[in-house]
Amino acid sequence: MDVTIRLPSRVLYQGQASRLRADGQAGGFGVLPNHADFVTALVPSVLMLVAEDGTERFFGIDEGLLVKRNQHVSVVVRRGVLGDDLETLHQKVRDSFVEAEDDERVARSALSRLEADMVRRLGQLKKMQP
């Protein structure tokens, strides 16, 4: 089956797989090529897929959505990283997700300052009107 894992800004993985394992809100599940079509929400977890050559690939993912339709599996997640094995994946997830949280915190702070400045300027304009 063809598997695509997408982030908001790029494609994290695209290729063939013989099976996939993920975690949804109801627990862990597996997907094989002839599995029935379905859609499910994903929770932050490790997504594992086995490529056609038997190679295992591990992805640390944030919440997202998985759609299985015919021979195609499409996964869309907010954040995700590919690791060579579970041990290195743990460190990559920690580094990547902490960095993203720091960036989001800085962006929220800048947005708050912008909103406060806008409110202050609107107040000044209102005082100027007769």
Side-chain angles (χ1 to χ4, degrees):
M1 64 189 160
D2 182 43
V3 177
T4 304
I5 302 174
R6 289 185 177 88
L7 303 175
S9 60
R10 65 185 173 94
V11 173
L12 181 60
Y13 176 83
Q14 186 164 12
Q16 295 293 313
S18 60
R19 67 179 186 258
L20 178 140
R21 191 215 165 278
D23 290 315
Q25 295 174 330
F29 62 92
V31 179
L32 296 170
N34 293 324
H35 194 284
D37 293 352
F38 71 100
V39 176
T40 189
L42 299 174
V43 296
S45 59
V46 174
L47 184 147
M48 189 268 300
L49 68 83
V50 177
E52 298 252 313
D53 64 1
T55 306
E56 292 182 334
R57 298 189 194 276
F58 300 94
F59 301 86
I61 61 167
D62 200 351
E63 58 193 14
L65 189 67
L66 180 143
V67 178
K68 161 71 168 74
R69 184 161 188 250
N70 298 324
Q71 293 295 312
H72 184 76
V73 176
S74 183
V75 178
V76 180
V77 293
R78 278 185 50 209
R79 296 181 287 198
V81 294
L82 169 62
D84 299 325
D85 55 44
L86 289 175
E87 191 171 317
T88 58
L89 178 64
H90 179 67
Q91 186 62 40
K92 282 184 173 183
V93 165
R94 188 177 346 176
D95 294 346
S96 175
F97 286 19
V98 166
E99 182 180 315
E101 287 173 5
D102 288 344
D103 291 346
E104 288 173 5
R105 192 175 6 263
V106 168
R108 281 193 302 273
S109 176
L111 183 59
S112 292
R113 286 192 307 273
L114 182 62
E115 288 173 345
D117 184 52
M118 210 154 92
V119 168
R120 190 182 83 251
R121 288 177 188 244
L122 286 172
Q124 290 172 346
L125 284 173
K126 193 171 186 177
K127 287 180 186 178
M128 297 172 93
Q129 292 179 350

